[in-house]
Amino acid sequence: MAETFYLTTAIHYPNGRPHIGHAYETIAADVLARFHRQMGREVRFQTGTDEHGLKMAQKSRDLGQTPRELADEMSGYFKDLFATLDISYDRFIRTTDEDHYRASQAIWKAMEANGDLYLDRYEGWYSIRDEAYYDESELIEGEGGEKLSPQGTPVEWTAEETWFFRLSAYGDKLLKLYEDNPDFIRPESRRNEVMRFVEGGLRDLSVSRTSFDWGVPVPGSDGHVMYVWVDALTNYLTGLGYPDETENMAKFWPADLHLVGKDITRFHTVYWPAFLMSANIPVPRQVYAHGFLLNKGQKESKSLGNVTDPADLVNAYGVDVLRYFLLREFSFGQDGSYSAQAIVSRANSELANSFGNLAQRTLSLLFKNCEGQLPPINDATADDDALRQHVERVIVQEMPAAFTDLAFAQALEAWMGAVFACNAYVDAQAPWALKKTDPERMKTVLATLYICIAQLAVAVIPVMPASMGKLLEQMGITPDLRRFDAIRTHWYPALVDSNFHLEKPQGIFPRLELPETPSEESA
Ligand code: MSP
C-alpha cells in the first residue's frame, strides 16, 4: 500500500476577495501535494473557506447581504482563483457544508463527554478581525492610546454567558507533545514562541457566543453558536468523513501537515491539539507556520490602495512564473516583500534566459542538425559524466530532501545550480561548432543535454506543472516517466529506439517586460 500524506491549508475567510497571502499559502501547499504525489505517495489535499463568525456576520450586514450570500459570492472567487493557480486540491471545504455541522457537533459532544466544557460568564477582550480572545496583558497601545490586539487590530469588551473549554487542564500535556515531537511546530522560532506562551499558563477558553447566530449551533444549548475557531479547526476532520469511521479517516488521520500563516499558529498548536486530546482523537503530525508576504515592504490593505488581485499577476506574468517566483524568492518561514520588478527580473534571468534558453537551444539544434531524431550516446567524456552526476545528485537527493523539509527556496536554488552547470557545459562544448568538426561528438553532447533537461523539467513539475508538462510533451517524456525515481532510469535509449520524432520546439518562457510603473517606483 502506498504511503499516505494528508495536508491542508488554513481555510480562508471569505469576507472579501482573495489576496496574495491566500495565493501564497495555497500555492506552497499545492507544490507539496504535487511533490508527494510525484514521490509515489497517496496524497489528500484540502483547502476551503471559513464562513462563520462575527467578522462574516458584520461584513455582510454592512453590505446589506445575508452572511450566506456573502460567503457564496466570495468563496466562488476563491474557487476561481485556485483554478487559475492550478491548485490540485481534493476537497474545497466550506464550513457551511452540511457534513461540517455534523462533524463540529460531534467533536463538541466528545469534548463535553470528557468533562471539558462548562457554562459560565465570560468578560474580556475580543478582536473581531482576528476572531480571537485576548488577555489584558497581551494588549498593546495604539497611536491614539486605544487598546489593540497583539496583531494591532481593534478589540472590544465582551461580556456574555458562554461555554468554556477547560484549556487550563492541557498545559502539561501540550508541553509534553512539543517536547516529544520537536517537529510538531515549525519553524523553530515559532515553536519557541508557543512553548513560552504555554509555559506562562493557560486560561480556559470561551467557546460559544450568544450575541449573534451565524455559526454552528451548540448541541443541546439553545441560543449558543460555537466560537468560530472551534468549527473552523474541525474542517480538517470533516473532510475525511468524521465522525464516521470512514476509509479516509483510517487512511489519512492524523494529518501529516497543517500549513498556516504565522498569525494563526496559536490556534493550530495550542487550541487544536487540546480539542483533539479532549475528544480522544490523535493530533496532527506537524504544523508549519510560514511567513507573511508584503507588497514592496508593506502589508496590503484597502486604505493603502495596494491590494493586488493574484489573478492580475497571473495575467501579467503567467501562472508558473508566479508560482516559481513566490517559492524561489522567499525563505518559507520568513516574511518576504514582492514587487513587479522582482518578479520580472527573477523570471527573465532564471526562467527565460537560463532554463528556457537551455531547452530551446538544445531542442532547436536537435531539430535542425539531427532532423528531430534523438542520437544515441557514444563515448561519454568525463565532462559529460560530471554534468550527469551533478544533475542526478540534485534531482535524486537535494531537491526531494529540500521539498520534504518545505525548504522551497533551497530546492529551487539547487535546481538553478544544475541549470547553470548545463549552460556552462553548452558554452564549453559549443555543439553548434561541432557540427562541422566532429558531428558524432555533437550528438553525444546534445543527447547528454537532452537527458539533463528532461530530468530538470521533471523535478520542477510540482512548481510549474503546466509549462513543464508542455516541455516534456514536446520531448516525448510520457507521464509514467514524470516522477523523481522514474526519470533516473534508462529511459533515454528506449526513447531513441522508439519512433519518437522531435517537432520544431516551442519556447516555454517568453521574456517579460516590466508593466508601466507608477512614478514612485522609478524614483
Ligand atoms: N479563517 C482563518 C483560518 C482558519 S484555519 C482553521 C484565517 N483566515 S484568513 O483568510 O485570514 O487567512 C488564511 C491564511 O492566509 C492564513 O494561514 C493566513 O496566515 C494567511 N495569510 C493571510 N495574509 C497573508 C499574507 N499577507 N502573507 C502570507 N500569508 C497570509 O486566518
Side-chain angles (χ1 to χ4, degrees), residues 376-391:
I377 292 192
N378 293 315
D379 301 327
T381 65
D383 285 349
D384 304 347
D385 289 342
L387 184 72
R388 292 277 305 275
Q389 279 160 17
H390 181 156
V391 172

Side-chain angles (χ1 to χ4, degrees), residues 24 62 140 197 227 232 263 273 277 316 379 413 415 445 484 514:
Y24 180 52
D62 293 349
I140 56 173
F197 174 72
Y227 169 41
D263 57 328
M277 286 175 188
D379 301 327
E413 170 99 34
W415 183 76
V445 167
F484 284 88
L514 201 58

Side-chain angles (χ1 to χ4, degrees), residues 176-189:
K176 182 163 168 26
L177 168 70
Y178 311 146
E179 269 149 25
D180 292 349
N181 305 278
D183 281 343
F184 177 70
I185 308 173
R186 290 189 63 211
E188 185 73 21
S189 54

Side-chain angles (χ1 to χ4, degrees), residues 151-191:
Q151 317 278 354
T153 58
V155 289
E156 60 181 46
W157 185 254
T158 308
E160 58 189 315
E161 183 200 52
T162 78
W163 285 94
F164 277 89
F165 173 73
R166 225 176 278 285
L167 186 62
S168 58
Y170 285 88
D172 290 344
K173 290 178 196 141
L174 288 168
L175 287 171
K176 182 163 168 26
L177 168 70
Y178 311 146
E179 269 149 25
D180 292 349
N181 305 278
D183 281 343
F184 177 70
I185 308 173
R186 290 189 63 211
E188 185 73 21
S189 54
R190 300 285 158 223
R191 176 172 185 261

Side-chain angles (χ1 to χ4, degrees), residues 105-398:
Q105 292 182 333
I107 198 171
W108 181 281
K109 285 187 197 148
M111 297 192 290
E112 193 172 21
N114 202 22
D116 283 331
L117 297 175
Y118 63 91
L119 210 49
D120 204 343
R121 192 178 159 75
Y122 174 79
E123 285 197 21
W125 297 102
Y126 193 75
S127 157
I128 299 172
R129 200 98 62 81
D130 305 347
E131 296 278 21
Y133 298 93
Y134 292 106
D135 205 56
E136 177 86 39
S137 62
E138 292 184 278
L139 301 182
I140 56 173
E141 202 169 296
E143 279 172 11
E146 74 282 18
K147 289 183 191 300
L148 296 177
S149 82
Q151 317 278 354
T153 58
V155 289
E156 60 181 46
W157 185 254
T158 308
E160 58 189 315
E161 183 200 52
T162 78
W163 285 94
F164 277 89
F165 173 73
R166 225 176 278 285
L167 186 62
S168 58
Y170 285 88
D172 290 344
K173 290 178 196 141
L174 288 168
L175 287 171
K176 182 163 168 26
L177 168 70
Y178 311 146
E179 269 149 25
D180 292 349
N181 305 278
D183 281 343
F184 177 70
I185 308 173
R186 290 189 63 211
E188 185 73 21
S189 54
R190 300 285 158 223
R191 176 172 185 261
N192 294 337
E193 244 172 55
V194 172
M195 288 186 74
R196 296 300 85 81
F197 174 72
V198 176
E199 280 162 2
L202 296 172
R203 287 179 182 226
D204 290 351
L205 181 71
S206 163
V207 286
S208 75
R209 307 294 306 262
T210 50
S211 52
F212 63 99
D213 63 1
W214 180 236
V216 179
V218 169
S221 187
D222 279 355
H224 286 259
V225 292
M226 290 180 199
Y227 169 41
V228 62
W229 274 98
V230 176
D231 96 74
L233 288 160
T234 306
N235 91 84
Y236 304 132
L237 288 170
T238 308
L240 300 181
Y242 176 84
D244 299 333
E245 286 172 17
T246 59
E247 198 186 322
N248 277 343
M249 273 301 284
K251 250 191 196 168
F252 294 110
W253 194 262
D256 293 276
L257 175 67
H258 293 318
L259 199 62
V260 300
K262 62 176 187 179
D263 57 328
I264 55 171
T265 320
R266 189 186 295 180
F267 300 94
H268 283 83
T269 59
V270 181
Y271 303 169
W272 182 225
F275 295 164
L276 289 166
M277 286 175 188
S278 170
N280 256 316
I281 302 170
V283 301
R285 295 188 211 282
Q286 184 168 96
V287 175
Y288 192 106
H290 61 76
F292 260 49
L293 215 58
L294 303 171
N295 184 341
K296 287 185 261 154
Q298 283 179 311
K299 207 172 156 179
E300 293 193 352
S301 74
K302 289 204 184 88
S303 52
L304 286 172
N306 64 348
V307 180
T308 311
D309 181 345
D312 289 344
L313 296 174
V314 171
N315 288 336
Y317 311 114
V319 59
D320 283 352
V321 164
L322 181 66
R323 290 172 62 110
Y324 179 82
F325 170 81
L326 289 176
L327 296 180
R328 167 78 166 116
E329 190 84 1
F330 313 114
S331 205
F332 195 53
Q334 283 160 24
D335 293 352
S337 182
Y338 79 98
S339 65
Q341 178 84 50
I343 299 175
V344 168
S345 89
R346 185 65 81 176
N348 282 345
S349 70
E350 299 190 351
L351 296 180
N353 297 353
S354 298
F355 186 69
N357 194 29
L358 169 71
Q360 190 64 12
R361 278 210 281 186
T362 305
L363 301 192
S364 296
L365 284 170
L366 280 164
F367 178 72
K368 280 193 220 133
N369 295 355
C370 307
E371 285 85 40
Q373 298 298 320
L374 299 186
I377 292 192
N378 293 315
D379 301 327
T381 65
D383 285 349
D384 304 347
D385 289 342
L387 184 72
R388 292 277 305 275
Q389 279 160 17
H390 181 156
V391 172
E392 288 231 4
R393 190 181 67 241
V394 165
I395 72 147
V396 173
Q397 290 165 17
E398 295 177 13

Side-chain angles (χ1 to χ4, degrees), residues 40-57:
R41 300 194 176 106
E42 187 177 347
V43 170
R44 187 165 174 93
F45 169 24
Q46 178 162 302
T47 186
T49 42
D50 181 1
E51 309 190 352
H52 295 122
L54 197 49
K55 194 206 290 261
M56 285 295 288

